[in-house]
Amino acid sequence: MSGFLVIAVHSLRANLRHRQGLIGVAVVAIGIVPVFFAMRGTLQELLARADWDVVRPWVGNALGLSGYLVSLLCVVFLGVMLGVGTLTQEKAKGAMETLLAAPIRETALWWAKVVACFLPALVVGVPVTLGILWALNVTAIVPAVGEIFLPAPILATVLLGVPVLGLGLAALVNLIGLLVANPNLASLAVVVVVIAISNILPRLGLEFASWAFAYANMAAGGLVFAGSVVAARFFLTKQRIILSARRL
Amino acid sequence: MMDTALEFREVHKSLGGKLILRGISFSVYVGDVFGYLGPNGAGKTTTIRVLLDLLPPDGGEVRLFGRPSDPEARRRIGFVLENDGLFDGLTAAENLALFARLYGVSRPKVGELLELVGLGGKEGDRVGTFSKGMRQRLALARALLHDPELLVLDEPTAGLDPTGQMEVRELIRELAGGGKTVFLSSHNLDEVERLCNRIALIHHGEIRLQGDMRELMRGDKTGYVVEPAEPLSPELVERLHSRMELGFVGEESGTLLFEPREVGLGELVSSLEGMGIEIEAVRRARTSLEELYREIMAEEA
């Protein structure tokens, strides 16, 4: 088994066992509930206001926003929470140095960490998001319209846009986490990027249920990912990782 | 000529603008238990990090088993770093299995290794519940997983209670006896004196002293140390001083130091017995590692 796979499997198990990961799951679970009820209320209000043909774009937008928020929480936030806690502990206790002294390249270690925090978030996040969209349909839209309403751009955002963004952010957070003294600080990068994206895209006039919004998320995620890969080539060295851990 | 397991040639390393290693050179031969001594901050850990390729040297060369250090050669090293680097959430067996996979060991002898380090039956116990001594021994087991030829140990007994220290030392002695070359970094002089056959002393990033332990400790001292069975009375000490041929130098911590020029050891012993001094033990006088160490530090000061 290659060093990458060994560390990926190990980190995956460690992430799922780590307290911070469990806290992340709890926060996401608690965070989804108010989102669901708030958006259900909005949808019901919109549908009660006018004919379906009139409110259809607004309902699409509200549904798109719901899917976006839930998938951000599940795929991005959960991923970061899962990875950062383990990274901090491994650096503080010298386990990272021991791993790096074993036959493994620093880039393989980084990729393994990215996969270990992104994969479970994706596996949990996508079905949960689809479930919320289905539940909003069943409880708000179907009773008023008589059919399931799930535009393809929303599915594209949830199934591709946010996962690509999540992968990009997982790469960025783990890269920063490996290079700074306290990997928890790397979470701030996620907050900054997510706030920036969720503010810039609507200001550009992109509807949550539009193809443009799905593409914009994929592009942003791709950009963050590519930027992280390039930055890793220049900055990710064993020396930097070791010396950053020393300051913990 | 003896085969070298490890060789540093004029290795330089700076960190944060500070020169940590100032062109250090030393050789560890196959079968050595090599003590790497120095006070805190001397550059011991940086040396080990350079050795394990965690830090690249700025200049000079690190050679392993007679060739420039490369990943293949580094696979022949087992190591225990200052922090044991164990995963608290995993069991002892899981910790070993993880590193066995990293080193490509298909059938790790987990039970056998745990038995060797005195942790038999602890396979399923979580490492988070282990004492410092148990952790250190498990780290040693981990270092042995791939049957390395060179063991690099950074302060392996630091923070251990006396029993733990003795256990780890005994283990190192066994491993060395079994043919492993050991590079032991320590600031514990007593430990190095007990375990090592060769040493190097690093201070302010420079090697101040290196060589065969016996040669170094023989130093320029001659004569014998006599341990009397009972403390000597002042009158007896006076009489010893008056016997010029015995070359009595003085008393130190209850022992008597003689540097006889005219008499041999046998005559010295019979003369002392003739004076009514009951002798417990006699040994050749030598410089202790502590004395050597103090001397070098004093030169620095």
Side-chain angles (χ1 to χ4, degrees):
Chain A
M1 213 194 279
S2 76
F4 160 75
L5 266 179
V6 173
I7 300 298
V9 171
H10 158 72
S11 301
L12 194 62
R13 290 176 65 189
N15 287 349
L16 295 175
R17 286 178 183 181
H18 196 272
R19 198 187 312 137
Q20 195 159 320
L22 297 177
I23 293 171
V25 171
V27 170
V28 167
I30 294 166
I32 286 172
V33 177
V35 171
F36 172 75
F37 283 108
M39 294 320 286
R40 191 183 70 168
T42 306
L43 287 171
Q44 284 169 337
E45 210 179 302
L46 281 172
L47 287 161
R49 236 184 236 179
D51 285 345
W52 172 236
D53 290 340
V54 178
V55 295
R56 191 186 168 107
W58 297 338
V59 169
N61 206 27
L63 198 63
L65 174 63
S66 315
Y68 190 58
L69 284 177
V70 172
S71 62
L72 272 183
L73 260 177
C74 293
V75 179
V76 177
F77 176 75
L78 185 59
V80 170
M81 287 289 280
L82 281 175
V84 161
T86 318
L87 205 56
T88 308
Q89 195 176 33
E90 285 177 0
K91 286 185 87 169
K93 295 209 163 186
M96 185 65 73
E97 186 169 355
T98 305
L99 281 180
L100 285 168
I104 185 165
R105 293 173 66 90
E106 55 274 36
T107 41
L109 180 84
W110 172 53
W111 283 117
K113 293 285 174 195
V114 173
V115 168
C117 76
F118 174 66
L119 209 60
L122 186 73
V123 169
V124 173
V126 170
V128 167
T129 310
L130 291 176
I132 293 288
L133 290 174
W134 175 82
L136 285 172
N137 260 280
V138 169
T139 55
I141 299 171
V142 173
V145 183
E147 61 183 21
I148 292 277
F149 175 65
L150 199 53
I154 295 181
L155 281 177
T157 302
V158 167
L159 295 177
L160 268 175
V162 177
V164 172
L165 184 64
L167 179 62
L169 286 169
L172 179 68
V173 164
N174 279 285
L175 178 64
I176 297 174
L178 283 171
L179 295 175
V180 299
N182 187 352
N184 277 311
L185 293 176
S187 322
L188 288 177
V190 172
V191 177
V192 170
V193 174
V194 168
I195 289 176
I197 290 173
S198 51
N199 273 284
I200 292 169
L201 298 186
R203 276 169 209 271
L204 292 173
L206 301 180
E207 298 286 338
F208 285 105
S210 67
W211 282 108
F213 187 76
Y215 293 144
N217 271 285
M218 286 180 222
L223 211 63
V224 174
F225 183 76
S228 303
V229 172
V230 172
R233 281 188 75 89
F234 285 104
F235 298 113
L236 192 64
T237 60
K238 287 184 178 179
Q239 173 163 325
R240 285 208 169 92
I241 300 172
I242 300 294
L243 296 183
S244 71
R246 203 171 58 159
R247 286 190 286 271
L248 264 177
Chain B
M1 199 173 148
M2 291 167 86
D3 291 333
T4 53
L6 164 69
E7 194 179 355
F8 267 55
R9 289 184 180 171
E10 285 295 316
V11 173
H12 288 82
K13 181 69 195 173
S14 295
L15 291 172
K18 195 180 162 202
L19 202 54
I20 308 290
L21 302 181
R22 301 162 186 258
I24 61 168
S25 301
F26 62 84
S27 298
V28 178
Y29 299 107
V30 172
D32 271 353
V33 180
F34 188 89
Y36 195 54
L37 275 167
N40 289 332
K44 298 193 299 291
T45 298
T46 302
T47 306
I48 287 179
R49 284 174 170 167
V50 169
L51 194 171
L52 296 173
D53 195 41
L54 291 168
L55 303 176
D58 297 334
E61 190 187 17
V62 177
R63 294 176 70 82
L64 286 167
F65 309 105
R67 62 179 192 185
S69 171
D70 59 19
E72 208 46 53
R74 285 195 293 274
R75 276 181 180 269
R76 294 160 72 183
I77 302 177
F79 59 87
V80 177
L81 300 178
E82 208 172 349
N83 291 317
D84 55 51
L86 295 165
F87 293 93
D88 287 0
L90 302 184
T91 63
E94 285 170 340
N95 263 285
L96 295 189
L98 169 67
F99 277 80
R101 284 194 290 272
L102 276 176
Y103 278 92
V105 180
S106 50
R107 285 182 190 165
K109 296 169 182 169
V110 171
E112 209 175 293
L113 280 169
L114 289 174
E115 205 67 55
L116 175 75
V117 298
L119 292 174
K122 301 278 182 194
E123 288 91 335
D125 292 6
R126 272 191 51 198
V127 169
T129 63
F130 279 15
S131 69
K132 175 94 177 143
M134 290 164 79
R135 294 179 72 99
Q136 209 64 2
R137 281 184 280 149
L138 182 60
L140 261 170
R142 185 189 57 199
L144 295 169
L145 264 171
H146 56 297
D147 195 20
E149 290 154 67
L150 171 63
L151 266 178
V152 175
L153 310 174
D154 191 3
E155 309 278 5
T157 56
L160 299 185
D161 59 26
T163 315
Q165 288 183 13
M166 278 192 288
E167 285 169 356
V168 170
R169 277 182 204 141
E170 195 46 48
L171 196 55
I172 294 171
R173 209 171 276 132
E174 271 174 40
L175 293 169
K180 304 271 182 224
T181 304
V182 180
F183 179 89
L184 173 71
S185 165
S186 177
H187 54 214
N188 186 332
L189 302 173
D190 184 47
E191 179 172 287
V192 170
E193 197 170 334
R194 282 168 195 229
L195 292 173
C196 304
N197 64 316
R198 295 183 68 248
I199 58 161
L201 196 155
I202 185 172
H203 190 39
H204 291 318
E206 286 176 19
I207 300 289
R208 303 289 176 170
L209 177 83
Q210 65 175 310
D212 184 276
M213 178 82 92
R214 271 188 245 158
E215 296 282 331
L216 292 170
M217 288 182 23
R218 196 172 297 147
D220 53 2
K221 276 200 175 176
T222 55
Y224 305 97
V225 175
V226 175
E227 284 178 30
E230 284 171 13
L232 266 57
S233 66
E235 294 77 30
L236 210 45
V237 172
E238 192 88 2
R239 278 178 60 202
L240 279 174
H241 276 298
S242 66
R243 297 274 301 270
M244 301 299 280
E245 78 279 10
L246 298 180
F248 179 54
V249 178
E251 267 187 301
E252 196 182 295
S253 324
T255 61
L256 313 171
L257 180 63
F258 293 90
E259 285 183 1
R261 298 230 168 95
E262 296 161 27
V263 297
L265 177 62
E267 214 173 321
L268 171 69
V269 171
S270 53
S271 298
L272 295 178
E273 283 171 345
M275 291 169 74
I277 300 172
E278 199 182 329
I279 297 170
E280 187 110 317
V282 182
R283 62 171 191 273
R284 232 170 232 293
R286 58 172 201 168
T287 311
S288 72
L289 191 54
E290 193 179 327
E291 280 173 306
L292 263 178
Y293 187 86
R294 263 199 239 141
E295 237 172 68
I296 288 165
M297 294 300 143
E299 279 171 24
E300 284 292 315

